[in-house]
Amino acid sequence: MGITIPFVKPSIGVAEKEAVLQALEMGAIGGNGRLTQQLREQMQQTFGVRHVILTTSCSDALELAMMVLNVRPGDEVIMPSFTFVSTANAVVRQGGVPVFVDIEPDTWNIDPDQIEPNITPRTRGIVPVHYAGQGCRMDEINAIAEKYGLWVVEDAAQGVGARYGDRYLGTWGTIGCYSFHVTKNITCGEGGALLTDDDDLGYRAEIIAEKGTNRSAFLRGQVDKYTWVDIGSSFILSDLLVALLKVQLQRMEEITARRIAIWERFQRELKGLEDDEYIVRMRVRPPAQINGHIFAFRTVNPDWRDPVLQKLRQRGIEATFHYVPLHSAPFARNHLPNGRELPVTDLVSRSLIRLPLFPDMTDAEQTYIIENAHDIFRKL
Ligand SMILES: Cc1ncc(COP(=O)(O)O)c(C=O)c1O
């Protein structure tokens, strides 16, 4: 049997297992129970935000955000094309139109200089996506939003635990959305959260997430019965998963520190490949402080990407790539207005490689990946 290093592996310890068993024994398997209340408070304190609504995924948190913000047919929302489909789907489901703009060549985050030229009278908001857990230039993005009266929804699916300046990602925009999917830094398998400091939006999100009812206020004893008060859906997370997530949140600093250490070692020990013009590594630009979510680099020649990936996999290293840019995906071509050219997005998506990165990766596993990456490129 040869070696296999998986792409991701959640770090689930004894405490998580005990918490889930305890929740089962307590019968805490429904949503919006005591554990949910505890976790919401824990997250409000940890991230320094007034409202946290737990959802079944970040996709749901993004959809909830667009519902809360009343995105209507024809409303335009500016976002990168280099992102996961959920960023755009949330807007499209409301009848809104994603307006895709290009990314920066070094951070692979939305290029703030591309935002203003794409603002029209129909523009309602901006969705920066914090790629690999590196914060977008939030001060500039918020200034543009303020100038034009737009809202900002941060897609911080990958950004949990990362900061921009002295604030956590997800707390810079009007609304922030987190993912706790199995691939993310802290996880409960499937889960997400909506964060906001705006009381009106926070209370409305709570209602929409609870089928359009004021059940959350009822559970807090603020009303004597609950009823239908707004549009709604069911976005709430089971307390069984919340039990697991509570422990993961307590471990956030430990998990993040380990991921950053692995990320930094890759960055350091693959520098030789950049010096020899095989790859281009992601740049971290202060005041962004990463959370070590993704380690990725670009091959200098996009034609090298697939053969390198294939060789890494042949050697048991489950490296991968993403994204198929949304502006050129079949849905966008068939249903959205004719897209513009996004040359940086196209180049990055054709040449990007992601290496395995998970907190329990051993030093020996990482050495194996680094040595093989050098070997494969140098024998191209
Ligand atoms: C940028 C981005 N947005 C949204 C999502 C959706 O997250 P979830 O799987 O929790 O719905 C992801 C998940 O990979 C993501 O990377």
Side-chain angles (χ1 to χ4, degrees):
M1 277 292 285
I3 187 166
T4 300
I5 304 177
F7 182 56
V8 288
K9 192 162 77 178
S11 171
I12 306 292
V14 176
E16 283 90 340
K17 288 175 195 159
E18 280 173 0
V20 170
L21 278 178
Q22 209 182 357
L24 269 177
E25 277 159 17
M26 291 187 317
I29 60 172
N32 217 348
R34 199 163 55 84
L35 296 178
T36 291
Q37 293 316 315
Q38 289 169 2
L39 180 59
R40 289 176 70 180
E41 282 163 29
Q42 200 180 332
M43 286 180 65
Q44 284 160 5
Q45 277 167 15
T46 303
F47 298 108
V49 70
R50 283 178 61 75
H51 300 270
V52 173
I53 286 86
L54 296 174
T55 60
T56 44
S57 63
C58 184
S59 305
D60 271 357
L62 288 161
E63 286 176 26
L64 179 57
M66 299 307 154
M67 291 170 85
V68 170
L69 290 163
N70 275 327
V71 172
R72 294 206 170 86
D75 286 350
E76 293 178 0
V77 178
I78 295 174
M79 64 179 66
S81 167
F82 186 68
T83 181
F84 191 64
V85 286
S86 300
T87 321
N89 263 333
V91 171
V92 171
R93 287 192 77 232
Q94 295 290 110
V97 183
V99 174
F100 297 116
V101 303
D102 219 344
I103 49 174
E104 300 174 319
D106 53 356
T107 66
W108 314 329
N109 270 336
I110 191 169
D111 182 348
D113 297 339
Q114 304 288 321
I115 295 175
E116 223 168 331
N118 284 290
I119 292 176
T120 75
R122 292 177 301 281
T123 308
R124 293 284 314 284
I126 307 166
V127 185
V129 178
H130 304 301
Y131 180 71
Q134 169 165 209
C136 299
R137 283 151 60 187
M138 289 311 299
D139 33 12
E140 290 172 54
I141 292 169
N142 280 355
I144 297 169
E146 200 167 324
K147 181 170 164 193
Y148 292 91
L150 309 175
W151 44 252
V152 174
V153 171
E154 293 174 74
D155 182 337
Q158 302 174 9
V160 181
R163 291 184 176 84
Y164 187 79
D166 57 359
R167 276 153 62 188
Y168 279 107
L169 299 185
T171 67
W172 277 83
T174 319
I175 287 177
C177 298
Y178 284 167
S179 173
F180 304 119
H181 183 253
V182 65
T183 52
K184 299 302 186 294
N185 283 23
I186 61 169
T187 182
C188 59
E190 298 281 354
L194 179 150
L195 284 68
T196 185
D197 268 332
D198 183 302
D199 289 341
D200 291 339
L201 297 177
Y203 290 126
R204 183 156 195 239
E206 192 179 71
I207 286 168
I208 294 176
E210 262 285 18
K211 297 95 176 162
T213 74
N214 53 356
R215 180 164 178 262
S216 298
F218 169 72
L219 293 175
R220 284 194 298 267
Q222 291 166 332
V223 289
D224 59 6
K225 61 180 183 319
Y226 73 88
T227 183
W228 185 17
V229 292
D230 201 339
I231 55 164
S233 190
S234 186
F235 291 128
I236 58 174
L237 190 60
S238 158
D239 266 29
L240 192 56
L241 293 179
V242 171
L244 171 52
L245 193 51
K246 278 184 71 190
V247 180
Q248 288 267 299
L249 184 65
Q250 281 156 8
R251 292 184 52 210
M252 185 171 80
E253 294 304 327
E254 166 218 326
I255 289 174
T256 307
R258 176 66 190 140
R259 293 188 78 110
I260 291 174
I262 296 170
W263 190 96
E264 285 177 343
R265 183 174 170 211
F266 274 139
Q267 188 80 340
R268 219 173 31 245
E269 297 192 17
L270 293 176
K271 180 174 180 298
L273 288 178
E274 184 169 275
D275 294 342
D276 295 340
E277 297 185 12
Y278 291 108
I279 68 168
V280 180
R281 297 166 306 158
M282 187 180 94
R283 291 283 172 278
V284 178
R285 278 206 220 164
Q289 298 165 55
I290 57 161
N291 60 0
H293 177 57
I294 287 176
F295 184 84
F297 56 79
R298 280 199 305 108
T299 55
V300 166
N301 181 342
D303 292 342
W304 296 341
R305 196 264 299 276
D306 290 347
V308 168
L309 268 180
Q310 198 189 5
K311 287 189 182 119
L312 285 165
R313 288 180 190 151
Q314 278 164 359
R315 298 181 190 198
I317 300 165
E318 291 188 348
T320 185
F321 69 93
H322 66 181
Y323 298 102
V324 177
L326 297 185
H327 74 286
S328 52
F331 183 87
R333 280 193 272 118
N334 294 334
H335 300 284
L336 296 178
N338 273 341
R340 60 219 77 204
E341 300 285 301
L342 302 177
V344 183
T345 299
D346 287 335
L347 178 67
V348 173
S349 87
R350 283 194 297 128
S351 54
L352 189 119
I353 290 181
R354 296 175 62 185
L355 294 179
L357 201 174
F358 47 88
D360 298 337
M361 179 182 282
T362 64
D363 291 345
E365 284 174 323
Q366 192 172 14
T367 302
Y368 180 80
I369 297 171
I370 292 166
E371 285 177 359
N372 276 284
H374 276 277
D375 188 57
I376 290 166
F377 272 103
R378 290 177 196 287
K379 286 186 184 149
L380 266 175

